[in-house]
């Protein structure tokens, strides 16, 4: 099948970088850096659309829905990366945010040729995950035309799941198949068609916003601290202790003792130290506050 890519911004020649192969190393990376500056402006231009999508994701999480990222190649890998970071950062179950890539998990490391052209593949992968109308599906495609992503969005729409299209071209084809559309137009790439560059950077910035803000809105941050992190190694345990000391003005030893008592759970440790209550009382206050530490401290103090 003949595919016309000439009208896609991500496939056009960048006139600013046509002589890049003749430049010194410092001039090459200076040019790349200048091009990357366009990414921030492009993302800023669609912040209202990003905010609307985040509100949809947040509401899905509140009703125990899941977030699925669906993409091929670099786009798929970025989705998997963002999903994989959620459990250690926000202590979420691994099924809450998931990334699907055309060609399956092996495509994360080795390109699976032709997988992105499989429209049925996107559908079947979501069927395997038992997608429901409580879930959200984000189709990610720099070109905005990937058949695998289109198939996933079509299926998601058919069962009533919320759908979001994230692309780097205006009037992208995948935008036709989503309830919420985000088109971050970053312009032609430094190397023609290499969407692992500016387009991928833009996608990563947007995905960062999706999960970070949705999780904050679920109460997984106190001030700008990750109070729901999973202290799974020595560095993270020390980070948890430092957070407790910063929030409560307690000593290192007091923070350490609270973490031991709560089995390394930061939220109840904060409430215990701030409100002067037991672990059991702290847990109950957190439950009553729907997971928000500020409210939990107030509740625990009143009780």
């Amino acid at each position: 099948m003949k595919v016309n890519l000439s009208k896609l911004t991500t496939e056009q020649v960048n006139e600013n970088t046509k002589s890049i192969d003749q430049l010194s190393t410092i001039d090459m990376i200076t040019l790349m850096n200048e091009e990357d500056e366009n990414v921030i402006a492009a993302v800023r231009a669609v912040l209202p659309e990003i905010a609307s999508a985040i509100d949809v994701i947040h509401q899905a999480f509140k009703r125990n829905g899941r977030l699925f990222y669906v993409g091929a190649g670099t786009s798929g890998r970025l989705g998997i990366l963002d999903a994989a970071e959620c459990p250690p950062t926000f202590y979420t179950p691994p099924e809450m945010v998931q990334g699907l890539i055309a060609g399956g998990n092996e495509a994360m490391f080795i390109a699976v040729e032709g997988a992105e052209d499989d429209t049925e593949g996107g559908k079947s992968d979501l069927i395997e995950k038992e997608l429901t109308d409580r879930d959200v599906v984000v189709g990610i495609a720099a070109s905005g035309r990937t058949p695998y992503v289109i198939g996933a969005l079509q299926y998601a729409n058919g069962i009533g799941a919320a759908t979001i299209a994230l692309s780097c071209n205006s009037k992208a084809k995948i935008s036709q198949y989503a309830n919420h559309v985000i088109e971050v137009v970053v312009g032609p790439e430094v190397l023609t068609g290499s969407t692992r560059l500016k387009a991928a950077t833009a996608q990563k910035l947007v995905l960062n916003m999706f999960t970070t803000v949705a999780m904050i809105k679920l109460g997984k941050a106190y001030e700008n601290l990750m109070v729901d992190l999973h202290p799974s190694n020595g560095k993270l345990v020390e980070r948890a202790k430092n957070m407790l000391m910063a929030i409560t003005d307690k000593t290192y030893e007091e923070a350490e003792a609270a973490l031991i008592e709560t089995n390394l759970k930061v939220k109840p440790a904060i409430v215990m130290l701030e409100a002067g209550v037991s672990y059991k009382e702290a847990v109950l206050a957190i439950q009553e506050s729907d997971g928000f530490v500020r409210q939990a401290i107030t509740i625990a103090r009143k009780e």
Side-chain angles (χ1 to χ4, degrees), residues 9-299:
T9 303
T10 49
E11 295 292 331
Q12 292 173 4
V13 174
N14 190 327
E15 295 296 328
N16 297 331
T17 63
K18 290 186 74 172
S19 62
I20 193 169
D21 61 330
Q22 302 174 55
L23 301 179
S24 66
T25 301
I26 187 63
D27 287 341
M28 283 187 192
I29 62 175
T30 298
L31 190 53
M32 290 184 71
N33 184 242
E34 290 171 351
E35 287 293 318
D36 286 341
E37 290 176 354
N38 297 327
V39 176
I40 301 299
V43 172
R44 185 181 299 116
V46 293
L47 288 180
E49 290 87 344
I50 295 171
S52 295
I54 291 170
D55 287 340
V56 169
I57 294 168
H58 172 230
Q59 289 303 315
F61 286 157
K62 287 185 68 176
R63 60 176 182 267
N64 295 319
R66 299 165 295 172
L67 170 62
F68 289 96
Y69 292 131
V70 182
T74 300
S75 296
R77 295 182 187 103
L78 289 170
I80 290 174
L81 174 62
D82 194 68
E85 292 290 348
C86 287
T89 306
F90 301 112
Y91 215 175
T92 57
E95 64 271 12
M96 186 172 177
V97 183
Q98 300 181 50
L100 302 176
I101 186 170
N105 288 339
E106 66 179 286
M108 184 71 183
F109 306 100
I110 301 173
V112 178
E113 301 298 335
E116 71 174 61
D117 296 326
D118 183 9
T119 304
E120 287 298 310
K123 173 182 177 180
S124 62
D125 284 352
L126 288 176
I127 290 175
E128 185 177 335
K129 293 294 183 179
E130 298 182 347
L131 188 77
T132 75
D133 59 4
R134 297 191 308 274
D135 300 325
V136 180
V137 174
V138 179
I140 314 169
S143 67
R145 54 156 303 279
T146 307
Y148 174 82
V149 174
I150 290 173
L153 291 173
Q154 286 179 313
Y155 175 72
N157 285 326
I159 67 166
T163 50
I164 299 166
L166 172 58
S167 69
C168 294
N169 278 280
S170 60
K171 299 179 181 179
K173 190 171 182 180
I174 65 170
S175 297
Q176 303 171 28
Y177 302 94
N179 308 133
H180 299 268
V181 174
I182 302 169
E183 297 175 344
V184 191
V185 183
V186 297
E189 295 287 1
V190 170
L191 293 178
T192 305
S194 183
T195 52
R196 57 180 283 273
L197 301 175
K198 290 193 298 183
T201 300
Q203 291 172 338
K204 180 66 169 68
L205 291 174
V206 175
L207 300 188
N208 285 349
M209 292 175 180
F210 281 175
T211 45
T212 301
V213 177
M215 295 298 175
I216 291 172
K217 289 169 72 70
L218 287 175
K220 292 183 174 292
Y222 178 79
E223 296 177 352
N224 61 352
L225 300 172
M226 297 181 292
V227 292
D228 240 350
L229 90 165
H230 180 208
S232 55
N233 58 43
K235 180 191 75 174
L236 294 179
V237 170
E238 289 305 306
R239 180 181 292 168
K241 293 174 187 176
N242 288 331
M243 278 196 289
L244 283 177
M245 290 188 289
I247 293 168
T248 66
D249 280 333
K250 300 297 184 181
T251 66
Y252 182 92
E253 290 73 23
E254 288 172 316
E256 184 175 49
L259 277 179
I260 291 172
E261 187 173 351
T262 63
N263 194 25
L264 299 181
K265 293 182 176 64
V266 177
K267 277 185 173 180
I270 295 171
V271 178
M272 286 170 57
L273 293 172
E274 282 288 86
V277 297
S278 68
Y279 174 49
K280 182 178 179 180
E281 290 170 318
V283 170
L284 290 173
I286 290 169
Q287 291 173 347
E288 190 175 339
S289 70
D290 202 20
F292 288 85
V293 172
R294 290 181 191 277
Q295 291 91 318
I297 292 170
T298 300
I299 291 168

